[in-house]
Amino acid sequence: NPNDFGVAINSVLGISYCMIRADINKVIGWFKMQWFHIVCTLTMIIAIVASSSRGAALGLGVVFLAVWYKSKKKTIGIAFLIIVATAIIALIPEDNWVRFHNMGSEEDGTSQSRLTLWRAGLRMAAEYPITGVGPNNFIYVNTEHYFSELREVQHNVFIQAMSELGYPGLLFFLMMIFGCFYNNRKARKILQEKKIDNSFLYSLSHGLDICIIGFIVNGFFITVLYYPFFWMLLILNVALLDAVKQVCS
């Protein structure tokens, strides 16, 4: 599935990019790992464009903006973004441009069906605000109780959380997302206060921020709450803070 593929790539692209400067290790004594990360980053960008997923392309654009925002040399960064964006635009096939142009309009059947699914998810959350309809029960309730002909999932991770797990589930999900940003910021603050010069851990915290942002943007168009993408980022987030505390102890 190109949409699943797109969110998977956007969920790790930030780490790959940030490791270009941070990973100074060598393999076999001469091959710099920085070149490996450069190749990985470029390959991921090309793969997202080739996937023809509009959600993934939008996520990629926001990831680029997050990279620029975190960059210290913003003037050079914006120039670099323009060059990269121009190259990506040149690679997008003409039929994909038509899909982007029609996105959200009545002519776009995909967008209209997703809006219908979102409304069904909001209805479930309103009718079952505490528990939701249960994990993976959206399609059953939508077709058997709401008599919808759309046998599809919500295509929105936040509506998935509230419709299947209720508002408490959505709240816990949002708390974990904000917790990731908080932990990454705390890790950087600890390194700065202790004056520990560890570019790997510092860059990894920024990379995880970018990865979470990529996941959030993609999450608005795909149902991936139970996929491993977010949970692996959560594990890395907790492990990073623990590693920083051990280094500084």
Side-chain angles (χ1 to χ4, degrees):
N1 186 303
N3 296 315
D4 294 347
F5 177 76
V7 68
I9 297 299
N10 275 324
S11 296
V12 296
L13 181 57
I15 295 177
S16 182
Y17 170 79
C18 289
M19 287 299 103
I20 292 176
R21 294 184 60 185
D23 192 351
I24 59 175
N25 294 311
K26 294 183 179 180
V27 179
I28 321 177
W30 60 272
F31 181 79
K32 294 182 178 180
M33 288 300 297
Q34 292 171 321
W35 288 106
F36 171 77
H37 296 299
I38 290 174
V39 172
C40 285
T41 301
L42 293 176
T43 302
M44 289 178 188
I45 294 172
I46 295 172
I48 289 175
V49 176
S51 72
S52 299
S53 170
R54 291 176 293 183
L58 181 60
L60 178 62
V62 176
V63 165
F64 281 159
L65 289 177
V67 169
W68 171 79
Y69 178 78
K70 286 182 171 290
S71 174
K72 294 181 179 179
K73 300 178 181 178
K74 288 186 169 49
T75 303
I76 298 176
I78 195 66
F80 178 75
L81 282 181
I82 293 173
I83 294 173
V84 173
T86 302
I88 291 176
I89 290 172
L91 293 174
I92 297 178
E94 185 176 349
D95 57 335
N96 280 3
W97 276 117
V98 175
R99 296 180 64 225
F100 277 105
H101 179 73
N102 295 332
M103 188 167 58
S105 67
E106 295 183 357
E107 300 176 3
D108 187 1
T110 300
S111 295
Q112 295 305 314
S113 64
R114 290 188 178 183
L115 289 173
T116 301
L117 292 167
W118 290 1
R119 284 191 287 268
L122 293 174
R123 178 182 174 184
M124 292 178 197
E127 293 180 357
Y128 304 94
I130 305 301
T131 62
V133 298
N136 295 319
N137 282 337
F138 175 84
I139 294 178
Y140 173 79
V141 175
N142 195 34
T143 55
E144 298 298 325
H145 293 267
Y146 297 166
F147 307 107
S148 173
E149 297 180 356
L150 296 173
R151 299 189 62 85
E152 298 182 40
V153 291
Q154 303 92 326
H155 290 284
N156 185 300
V157 70
F158 301 100
I159 293 179
Q160 180 187 15
M162 71 170 69
S163 62
E164 296 186 2
L165 305 177
Y167 287 110
L170 174 63
L171 178 61
F172 279 115
F173 180 49
L174 292 175
M175 287 174 62
M176 285 187 285
I177 291 176
F178 285 112
C180 286
F181 290 119
Y182 175 81
N183 279 356
N184 290 333
R185 184 177 181 180
K186 184 177 181 180
R188 291 191 293 270
K189 185 177 181 181
I190 293 174
L191 289 172
Q192 291 173 348
E193 289 179 348
K194 299 294 184 178
K195 297 182 180 180
I196 302 296
D197 184 16
N198 192 316
S199 60
F200 180 84
L201 295 177
Y202 195 82
S203 297
L204 182 58
S205 70
H206 283 300
L208 286 172
D209 277 346
I210 297 171
C211 289
I212 293 293
I213 292 171
F215 174 84
I216 291 172
V217 176
N218 267 119
F220 272 98
F221 308 101
I222 192 169
T223 309
V224 289
L225 181 60
Y226 310 132
Y227 284 32
F229 311 138
F230 173 73
W231 307 106
M232 292 301 296
L233 292 176
L234 187 64
I235 292 171
L236 288 173
N237 178 266
V238 175
L240 170 64
L241 183 59
D242 184 64
V244 168
K245 289 180 178 179
Q246 290 187 31
V247 168
C248 296
S249 61

